Amino acid sequence: MINRRHFSLATGAAALGGFQLARAQSEAPLVLGQSAPFTGPAAQLGIQFHQGAKLFLDQYNAQSGRRHVVIKNLDDGYEPDRCAANTQKLIEEDVFALFGYIGTPTSMAALPLAVKDKVPFIAPFTGAMSLREPFQRNVFHLRASYNDETALIVKQLTHLHLKKIAVFYQNDAYGKAGLDGVTLAMSQQDLKPVALATVERNSVDVASAVKSIVAARPDAVVQVGAYKACAAFIREARKAGYGGTFFNVSFVGTQALADELGKGGAGVMVTQVVPSPYNPANAITREFSEAVKKAGAGASANFSSMEGYIAAKVLTEGLRRAPPGKASRDGLITGLESIDRQQFGGFEVSFSAKNHVGSKFVELSMITADGKVRT
């Protein structure tokens, strides 16, 4: 028998729940602002990351009682000036947070604006130390750094007794960040690169770089560039008779690089900062794969879209952990800082009030002759 008091409490709780559900559904969506390349030689990175993030948010928004989270994306063509203008526009439009920026030079152009207006800057697709130091309270990195990635590459090469290492890098802040990581890792073993060569951002003019690096006859070439330039270098170096190994950092965009090279991609190595989207042993991969399958046409599984998916998942976990009440930027920051050694399907993320780098995960993968990626 239900007494009057228990009935009153039950009906009150149901009414409160219904009120909270109605309020969540009636509130305007939280808008994340993203400036990324959606055209140009780096376009696949922006497209794939955005697709993965949207894939998760579509699932998230479909659950009842949740305030919707959406992404407003603007194309910057992987050019810093356009990114800065886009960021200023997004901030003036009062987006809730900036999310999923693609690249070091573009993120560096946006960062001072985000810091100035105290807008959360979440999960930029870059491992540059210049975006991590000095520490900024509103900036959160999901991925490991380029120093972490290049340290693994150098460790692998020297373990195989391959010590003549050349570096082909993009002539900007991104390329310099990768070069610094390689030279730091090599210096710890009393080694130096045997050759250095550059390519301009958004260019595939690699002839001079190929000539100088092939002449040095390195055992391996570490590449720090976007997929079109790196693919062009690999093709031309092989035409010139180079038979060594190519290593790339994750920003290259593994699937985009594999697509560019076709059968010529066989044996090319790439470091990864998220678990393989092709290995069902990982719970996050099974979840992601199921989401891709349900989404149907337009969704694809690759490392870049996987990173976008995880980044959106982590961001919404920060919202869930935020102090109760009206959603706020400060609340999101507090919520993210409370994520401590949390498993997202086998991918561990840890933040704190003094640490805004969520993961140190790095592993090596290899492109196969059929264009697939094996870890």
Side-chain angles (χ1 to χ4, degrees):
M1 181 176 179
I2 300 176
N3 64 36
R4 183 176 299 173
R5 181 173 181 272
H6 287 164
F7 178 79
S8 177
L9 288 172
T11 54
L16 178 60
F19 169 75
Q20 290 174 333
L21 171 61
R23 184 178 69 177
Q25 292 176 335
S26 65
E27 288 180 309
L30 294 175
V31 180
L32 309 178
Q34 180 190 28
S35 180
F38 295 101
T39 58
Q44 285 305 310
L45 303 180
I47 291 168
Q48 291 169 3
F49 186 100
H50 178 79
Q51 284 179 343
K54 187 175 183 300
L55 188 64
F56 176 81
L57 292 177
D58 286 347
Q59 291 182 320
Y60 178 86
N61 293 337
Q63 299 181 45
S64 63
R66 287 182 168 172
R67 185 172 179 181
H68 286 193
V69 180
V70 299
I71 303 174
K72 177 171 184 178
N73 58 308
L74 299 175
D75 180 23
D76 59 36
Y78 193 36
E79 290 293 350
D81 290 347
R82 290 174 64 184
C83 181
N86 286 349
T87 302
Q88 188 62 51
K89 176 179 172 63
L90 291 167
I91 291 174
E92 289 172 357
E93 292 176 354
D94 202 29
V95 296
F96 185 69
L98 300 171
F99 170 79
Y101 275 46
I102 305 296
T104 300
T106 42
S107 294
M108 287 185 66
L111 186 65
L113 302 173
V115 170
K116 174 178 174 290
D117 287 296
K118 299 180 180 179
V119 182
F121 191 74
I122 313 296
F125 194 87
T126 167
M129 296 304 298
S130 56
L131 291 159
R132 298 159 187 246
E133 298 172 355
F135 174 87
Q136 300 290 351
R137 184 173 181 266
N138 63 312
V139 181
F140 289 82
H141 299 272
L142 179 64
R143 53 170 31 229
S145 71
Y146 292 142
N147 281 11
D148 296 323
E149 293 188 62
T150 52
L152 178 61
I153 291 173
V154 172
K155 180 181 179 181
Q156 175 72 8
L157 286 170
T158 54
H159 176 73
L160 297 172
H161 305 290
L162 303 176
K163 297 182 178 182
K164 293 182 63 178
I165 301 170
V167 185
F168 166 70
Y169 64 101
Q170 192 165 286
N171 188 25
D172 64 5
Y174 159 50
K176 184 64 164 54
L179 173 63
D180 287 347
V182 175
T183 54
L184 175 63
M186 292 186 70
S187 69
Q188 292 169 352
Q189 300 192 46
D190 295 323
L191 298 172
K192 292 182 179 180
V194 296
L196 303 175
T198 63
V199 65
E200 297 303 313
R201 183 177 57 250
N202 285 338
S203 168
V204 292
D205 183 3
V206 298
S208 176
V210 168
K211 184 177 180 180
S212 61
I213 284 182
V214 169
R217 302 179 68 181
D219 297 320
V221 180
V222 179
Q223 299 184 286
V224 189
Y227 58 92
K228 282 192 177 292
C230 290
F233 183 94
I234 291 168
R235 284 193 298 265
E236 293 306 311
R238 285 181 170 159
K239 285 180 184 177
Y242 179 69
T245 308
F246 298 94
F247 281 75
N248 291 262
V249 295
S250 60
F251 181 82
V252 74
T254 310
Q255 192 57 56
L257 180 63
D259 291 345
E260 284 286 323
L261 288 170
K263 292 181 180 179
V268 173
M269 307 295 292
V270 186
T271 47
Q272 307 297 347
V273 294
V274 294
S276 170
Y278 315 114
N279 183 1
N282 301 312
I284 188 64
T285 299
R286 295 194 297 273
E287 176 188 327
F288 175 63
S289 298
E290 185 62 25
V292 170
K293 182 179 177 181
K294 287 182 178 179
S300 58
N302 52 66
F303 283 96
S304 300
S305 58
M306 169 75 105
E307 187 167 342
Y309 185 92
I310 296 174
K313 190 177 181 74
V314 171
L315 184 144
T316 57
E317 177 64 13
L319 287 174
R320 188 187 71 80
R321 290 166 168 264
K326 185 178 179 181
S328 69
R329 291 168 173 170
D330 198 64
L332 172 61
I333 291 171
T334 300
L336 287 169
E337 288 181 338
S338 74
I339 296 174
D340 180 28
R341 300 186 68 180
Q342 180 167 335
Q343 294 292 328
F344 290 82
F347 181 74
E348 185 174 286
V349 176
S350 280
F351 293 120
S352 70
K354 295 182 179 180
N355 170 45
H356 285 189
V357 177
S359 170
K360 289 281 191 177
F361 176 91
V362 186
E363 68 178 8
L364 274 169
S365 67
M366 182 177 71
I367 299 174
T368 60
D370 56 0
K372 295 182 179 180
V373 184
R374 187 176 71 206
T375 54

